[in-house]
Amino acid sequence: MSAPAPAEAPPDLNEVRLVGRVSGEPAERVLPSGDPIVTLRVVVRRRASTARRNAAPVDTIDVACFSATTRRRAAALTADTVVEVEGSLRRRFFRTAQGAASRYEVEAASVRRVKG
């Protein structure tokens, strides 16, 4: 009699899809590593809980664009443009005058304008 096969662990999954409005002008800069980056913020509504149906909360999500395509598309956006962003959630570590810090952001794999 053979032992039962071990249960396979589900695969890890880190996928994010946001549809919302750009909250301001995207910012282009160069990181200390020399890598160019375009960052933007996307405002998205969350589904209201049953207790608070009248007030749908919103979140402002930071988005980082590293690839040439996503940088170009993000840089062309303007405030209040409706966009769809697909990518993955990541935690970025950096130094500030007060010491080490971190933040969560979406690293965009694709950015596209949504007709609205």
Side-chain angles (χ1 to χ4, degrees):
M1 186 180 242
S2 63
E8 265 189 54
D12 292 339
L13 181 64
N14 182 350
E15 291 180 344
V16 175
R17 179 178 174 259
L18 303 171
V19 177
R21 294 192 178 276
V22 177
S23 70
E25 299 302 316
E28 298 180 62
R29 62 189 174 96
V30 177
L31 297 174
S33 64
D35 295 328
I37 183 174
V38 173
T39 58
L40 64 141
R41 289 191 168 143
V42 178
V43 178
V44 295
R45 283 197 186 106
R46 266 187 280 142
R47 290 193 175 116
S49 67
T50 53
R52 297 176 49 177
R53 284 219 184 258
N54 295 340
V58 298
D59 292 305
T60 303
I61 311 294
D62 291 320
V63 177
C65 302
F66 288 96
S67 76
T69 301
T70 58
R71 287 194 322 264
R72 184 177 61 253
R73 288 183 178 170
L77 298 172
T78 57
D80 290 329
T81 302
V82 178
V83 294
E84 178 182 45
V85 175
E86 292 181 343
S88 56
L89 185 65
R90 73 179 205 149
R91 186 174 181 193
R92 185 167 56 88
F93 296 89
F94 54 95
R95 296 216 173 267
T96 68
Q98 291 77 30
S102 70
R103 74 181 326 157
Y104 284 96
E105 61 192 7
V106 172
E107 184 173 332
S110 70
V111 175
R112 71 177 188 91
R113 188 180 313 254
V114 176
K115 296 189 183 202

